[in-house]
Amino acid sequence: MTDKNYRSLRNRIHEIIFEADTPTGKFFDVFLMISIVASVLVVMLDSVASYREAFGEWFYVLEWFFTILFTIEYVLRIISVQRAKGYIFSFYGMVDLFSILPTYISILLPGSQYFLVIRILRVLRIFRVLKFTQYLIEVDQLRSALASSRRKITVFIFTVVTMTVIMGSLMYVVEGGKNGFTSIPKSIYWAIVTLTTVGYGDISPQTNFGQMLSAVIMIFGYGIIAVPTGIVTVELGKAANKYTTEVCRYCSREGHDKDAVHCKYCGHKLDP
Amino acid sequence: MTDKNYRSLRNRIHEIIFEADTPTGKFFDVFLMISIVASVLVVMLDSVASYREAFGEWFYVLEWFFTILFTIEYVLRIISVQRAKGYIFSFYGMVDLFSILPTYISILLPGSQYFLVIRILRVLRIFRVLKFTQYLIEVDQLRSALASSRRKITVFIFTVVTMTVIMGSLMYVVEGGKNGFTSIPKSIYWAIVTLTTVGYGDISPQTNFGQMLSAVIMIFGYGIIAVPTGIVTVELGKAANKYTTEVCRYCSREGHDKDAVHCKYCGHKLDP
Amino acid sequence: MTDKNYRSLRNRIHEIIFEADTPTGKFFDVFLMISIVASVLVVMLDSVASYREAFGEWFYVLEWFFTILFTIEYVLRIISVQRAKGYIFSFYGMVDLFSILPTYISILLPGSQYFLVIRILRVLRIFRVLKFTQYLIEVDQLRSALASSRRKITVFIFTVVTMTVIMGSLMYVVEGGKNGFTSIPKSIYWAIVTLTTVGYGDISPQTNFGQMLSAVIMIFGYGIIAVPTGIVTVELGKAANKYTTEVCRYCSREGHDKDAVHCKYCGHKLDP
Amino acid sequence: MTDKNYRSLRNRIHEIIFEADTPTGKFFDVFLMISIVASVLVVMLDSVASYREAFGEWFYVLEWFFTILFTIEYVLRIISVQRAKGYIFSFYGMVDLFSILPTYISILLPGSQYFLVIRILRVLRIFRVLKFTQYLIEVDQLRSALASSRRKITVFIFTVVTMTVIMGSLMYVVEGGKNGFTSIPKSIYWAIVTLTTVGYGDISPQTNFGQMLSAVIMIFGYGIIAVPTGIVTVELGKAANKYTTEVCRYCSREGHDKDAVHCKYCGHKLDP
């Protein structure tokens, strides 16, 4: 193979794997998506005792099939990309590596439960496929709204955690160990379960004063859920508006809708 | 009956069944609504053991009464509508058919439990009555707001599901089978129960590390509920603004902003 | 007493009871508020077995004390008001009557538990005191926002109820009586408990398919909570804006803040 | 030490402790933050029986170490501040005092559990560190949004509490003591647990009518969570707009809208 042929081949591979404009590229994306979902399902079903007993060997074969498939894909990605190092140490590069590594390591170190979690991380690869679709703008808007509300959310979580620490300690003293509030950390766990309105019921206040106190926490928690919602809504509103700004060439006013053809103020045609 | 008389009868039936402008049409709507609610109540109460024992025969008679009533209505709809095929294969056409079919089939194939669910689907017919009321605009606004937030909601659910897969697997390894986390699918079920703040308590973390981890999931879940709310609020805000405007006298299109002076489609001046 | 004196006394009583501008009127409001809260507390504490044993006689005396107090107030209200009939059959008139009636009836018909609920309704009287405070505008804004979103909320609740009927029936068939889903009404109760994210855990799915199905319901319920929030937020936003609209006398533009002294567009002074 | 040296030393201490502009000041903030978190962790872990047994003596030593550290800091704050009295009786001054007092008192009055809660209050001191960071604006926006929605939230909580009182009493009569609704206060506790969608499941309705009634409460509670969210969102939206504007060059007041041309307070033209 000449150098030129090799380069053209590399470009072709890059086009198929990293882009979704060609039919082959689209087919590759769909095929990859199905493979990822199937391989995650194998890991999941393999954890069910009755299924492992019945189909354990099939799961083993399938796991190796997907591992080899993803290994080939990983090698092709390294070859076809311009800066291999950049890809390898990127977020998706790491996820790709972690998707195949556990199976190989399991030959040397059999039986480690913890590889299972690493193996399941391959579910994250599905977001890469999303990157090449029309959902890109939506993802972007959501991401930018969350990014701009980052600080407010931090302050909010900070306040919530502080409150649960104080409330938990108070309930530890009020209820005591015999009612399940055996330590401050456990009482804080209860406070979080209550404030977030999850309410398992594995620990619940038994004394009158404890129930009064937790009623206050609940109403409080019910109220402050409004805060992050308000924050994100305001930011999303801004993000949504950002995508509809076009200035009229004649009267220089903005604020037109996406589907506007004419300026709504002066009536001149807008640029396409 | 002459052909003309037949056609006039057909139109009359169509008017009564499909429209709600005439007193007879309105009466038909109210009568239909009561029949639907009553027939659904019969199916519901028939499932309560003590009621079935006491009133089982009455329920049987009533079920046949409503089935024959709905059958007559179904036939009249097919007759009176212009394109019978279009109606039969429409959503409401299918619901209408499914409302009567199970009772007839139950003569041939007695005792199948699954017909019950099909029979209860007749509750959906109630939305048709809603179609002819002043709630039309409200339904439309809600629908359009949900439709425009469709993609963002998809991305959101996608993220939530991915997160529950990872969190569930992690908890499966951390807590293990003896605390109820017997498999990854079951642990994912737990993660969904926790993240959505439902919190049954049938499975709950017992180890210290597991409780810490689930506290993080809870606070996270508490925070991200803000996202769909923000999305829908922004879209509803837009939808609400859309409906406060007028129709352009020249191009007859609507959907102008409140502060618009010119039609954004054709550029003609709007009436003040 | 001359007729004139009587009328002046009537006006004086009306001023004290129905208005809050005079010091006596304000004092009456505060005194009434404390009496209402105290009388409700008596009813509540009387229901606690240990307290009734210890202080039962005190509660009995206090109940009669408050009943006579509220009876005097009720009579004074009827006397002082212009149209006695209008007051008696108004919402608050009925609440006032129901606050005193149960105690008198209990002499004739002792022991009826159901009077207790009627007696506790006197807690509603507290809202009347609220009517004369600076919270009036806030209550008004909230009420108008809820009133304008009435139809959308109705459509929403309609949809939610329909969904729980279908989901409940499906779970009844899938899970069956042995897992707690003993009838369709009970299964619908479970569906509502789940969809609203309350999640008692008294009934919870046990089969794999049932858990999958309820996971879908949960994510769905988590998503649609966005809808009423969006509706109310949009309406509150409108209501909030309503209270800041003043048109500039010079440039005729509106949208000024509540604390604005000058028009923000042309700089002219706004009317006070 | 001369008086001048003393004053300069005082200023230097003030700069380090109260400000965060100098490297030493920043280092002090970080060091203080770590100390606070560590000392809170000691209190928390000391409450876990197994840890206290193993490391009890270490915790005792660490508690005294942090107490002496915070005492030195407290004294330095009093010395360096201009108006010592103002600081001592301020919110943070009280928190600072309460952080050290329990340990000293525990020598005189050993074993009181209640000091534990006071000791944990030192977690509040962490908010002071936050005061000197870039989060200041975010905290301010959140605070002002919550402050302006104060009255509406009060009305909302008022309504919610009234509703739970009525609902709780109704359920007390309907369900009765044998199903866990042993008294009205306990039934109100249940109503709050249900309305806020926490749903422990320690008390849950058993009768058909009780389940129907609580289903209504749940759907209601699901709906009204929209209200505080709407309130806070609207206020946050306003707060966000307020902070995007400039200061008037003439009257030096801020808080102008984005589209303002003139200062709304003094009427002078704003800079473009």
Side-chain angles (χ1 to χ4, degrees), chain A residues 47 200 221 257 261-262 264, chain B residues 184 194 222 257 261-262 264-265:
Chain A
S47 76
Y200 285 133
D257 289 350
V261 180
H262 285 266
K264 66 180 178 182
Chain B
I184 294 187
T194 300
Y222 194 57
D257 286 351
V261 180
H262 286 265
K264 68 180 176 182
Y265 298 111

Side-chain angles (χ1 to χ4, degrees), chain A residues 6 10 13-14 17-18 28 67-81 84 87-88 93 96-97 100 104 125:
Chain A
Y6 172 72
R10 237 183 78 177
I13 293 172
H14 188 273
I17 296 186
F18 283 89
F28 176 82
T67 302
I68 289 163
L69 198 80
F70 293 155
T71 308
I72 294 169
E73 186 214 338
Y74 185 61
V75 171
L76 287 179
R77 274 181 196 274
I78 293 180
I79 288 172
S80 68
V81 96
Y87 160 68
I88 291 169
D96 288 351
L97 184 63
I100 51 176
Y104 292 115
R125 306 184 70 215

Side-chain angles (χ1 to χ4, degrees), chain D residues 1-271:
Chain D
M1 212 189 323
T2 62
D3 196 60
K4 200 183 156 192
N5 277 350
Y6 172 72
R7 237 178 321 169
S8 133
L9 179 68
R10 238 183 76 176
N11 284 343
R12 181 94 183 98
I13 293 171
H14 188 274
E15 204 177 85
I16 292 171
I17 296 187
F18 283 89
E19 277 156 59
D21 302 331
T22 59
T24 335
K26 259 184 198 140
F27 172 80
F28 176 82
D29 271 7
V30 173
F31 178 73
L32 187 63
M33 204 168 200
I34 293 168
S35 303
I36 295 166
V37 170
S39 78
V40 169
L41 275 178
V42 166
V43 177
M44 275 167 60
L45 294 178
D46 192 35
S47 76
V48 183
S50 60
Y51 290 160
R52 186 167 45 222
E53 251 168 65
F55 312 106
E57 280 172 49
W58 281 98
F59 290 151
Y60 185 78
V61 170
L62 279 168
E63 179 62 34
W64 273 107
F65 169 75
F66 287 122
T67 302
I68 290 162
L69 197 80
F70 293 156
T71 309
I72 295 169
E73 186 214 336
Y74 185 61
V75 172
L76 287 178
R77 276 181 195 273
I78 292 180
I79 288 170
S80 67
V81 96
Q82 210 70 314
R83 290 179 52 253
K85 224 176 177 176
Y87 161 68
I88 291 169
F89 292 101
S90 73
F91 176 71
Y92 281 117
M94 299 302 278
V95 170
D96 288 351
L97 184 63
F98 284 149
S99 299
I100 52 176
L101 223 56
T103 319
Y104 291 115
I105 295 177
S106 69
I107 309 175
L108 307 168
L109 297 158
S112 179
Q113 276 266 16
Y114 288 91
F115 287 148
L116 202 144
V117 178
I118 294 170
R119 239 190 289 173
I120 212 100
L121 282 180
R122 62 177 68 148
V123 77
L124 287 170
R125 306 183 69 216
I126 229 160
F127 280 99
R128 172 192 276 133
V129 178
L130 213 71
K131 270 173 54 183
F132 299 108
T133 66
Q134 66 267 54
Y135 287 87
L136 200 55
I137 295 176
E138 317 288 332
V139 173
D140 226 58
Q141 277 192 27
L142 282 176
R143 190 186 315 227
S144 95
L146 287 175
S148 10
S149 47
R150 202 187 52 247
R151 284 193 190 168
K152 279 207 195 70
I153 297 273
T154 307
V155 171
F156 173 73
I157 287 178
F158 210 82
T159 313
V160 166
V161 170
T162 307
M163 246 165 52
T164 53
V165 168
I166 294 172
M167 290 297 190
S169 309
L170 203 58
M171 288 298 282
Y172 167 67
V173 173
V174 169
E175 289 279 331
K178 64 182 187 303
N179 293 331
F181 295 78
T182 49
S183 68
I184 294 188
K186 186 139 291 185
S187 301
I188 292 173
Y189 163 71
W190 168 87
I192 292 174
V193 168
T194 300
L195 196 82
T196 57
T197 79
V198 170
Y200 285 134
D202 51 350
I203 311 168
S204 66
Q206 303 299 327
T207 66
N208 288 336
F209 186 60
Q211 293 187 341
M212 251 180 68
L213 211 70
S214 51
V216 171
I217 301 178
M218 281 169 220
I219 289 180
F220 203 83
Y222 194 58
I224 59 167
I225 200 171
V227 176
T229 306
I231 296 166
V232 174
T233 303
V234 169
E235 293 300 337
L236 271 172
K238 282 190 207 160
N241 282 333
K242 284 266 160 61
Y243 277 82
T244 51
T245 44
E246 60 201 315
V247 178
C248 172
R249 261 197 299 157
Y250 298 88
C251 73
S252 299
R253 295 185 69 177
E254 49 183 350
H256 309 294
D257 288 350
K258 275 186 202 164
D259 57 350
V261 181
H262 286 265
C263 170
K264 68 180 178 183
Y265 298 111
C266 71
H268 270 101
K269 221 171 172 168
L270 292 170
D271 291 333

Side-chain angles (χ1 to χ4, degrees), chain A residues 138-149:
Chain A
E138 317 289 332
V139 174
D140 226 57
Q141 277 191 28
L142 283 176
R143 191 186 313 228
S144 95
L146 288 175
S148 11
S149 48

